[in-house]
Amino acid sequence: MQNQRSELSPKNKYWIPKFRYLELKNFCLQYPEWKSELASLDPLKANLPKISSGNFSDPTNTLVARRLELNKKISLIENCADLSEPSISSWLIKGVTENYTYEYLKYKLDLPAGRDYYYDRYRKFFFILDKKREKPL
């Protein structure tokens, strides 16, 4: 695995500021953790902090809120990959969430795209994610 170059020329059509790209990249690297946590959130076994409302806590509400939050983040990444290029979205997701190199995706996972095309779609993914994800205060 290698780190993708963190800054493009401002003349590139998919340019975003360096530190914004790094923020989005780190956001994406949490995707496997979110998927794992979502899969483990069994309503009967969930051990989450309780949301209190008055004199009682509501574990069901806590569970639903966490599942919704995780689903929103997971869907955001998957939708951005589909918008970047539907035909290679599963490889884009692997590349942006697990930091796989083009070579690994091409030769181990049979990515059906050339290097330039893949990295153009990779940059487009982050450009779209930048537009769709709320910027922190």
Side-chain angles (χ1 to χ4, degrees), residues 27 31 34-35 37-39 41 63-79:
F27 173 79
Y31 177 90
W34 299 330
K35 295 280 280 191
E37 182 181 351
L38 185 60
L41 284 179
L63 177 66
V64 169
R66 184 62 181 154
R67 288 183 62 87
L68 286 171
E69 178 185 1
L70 292 169
N71 271 318
K72 183 179 176 184
K73 291 175 180 179
I74 291 166
S75 293
L76 177 62
I77 290 173
E78 292 171 352
N79 291 337

Side-chain angles (χ1 to χ4, degrees), residues 18-76:
K18 175 182 178 179
F19 291 112
R20 177 65 173 163
Y21 164 77
L22 292 172
E23 173 193 339
L24 295 170
K25 179 68 178 170
N26 285 302
F27 173 79
C28 290
L29 291 173
Q30 297 172 74
Y31 177 90
E33 295 170 23
W34 299 330
K35 295 280 280 191
S36 177
E37 182 181 351
L38 185 60
S40 73
L41 284 179
D42 180 338
L44 300 175
K45 298 177 185 172
N47 186 16
L48 296 170
K50 309 295 187 254
I51 295 176
S52 293
S53 176
N55 294 331
F56 66 93
S57 63
D58 187 352
T60 302
N61 189 38
T62 302
L63 177 66
V64 169
R66 184 62 181 154
R67 288 183 62 87
L68 286 171
E69 178 185 1
L70 292 169
N71 271 318
K72 183 179 176 184
K73 291 175 180 179
I74 291 166
S75 293
L76 177 62

Side-chain angles (χ1 to χ4, degrees), residues 111-128:
L111 169 65
R115 175 186 301 278
D116 290 343
Y117 185 76
Y118 171 75
Y119 280 117
D120 184 69
R121 301 297 94 178
Y122 180 97
R123 291 178 191 106
K124 183 177 181 182
F125 168 87
F126 282 105
F127 183 79
I128 293 169

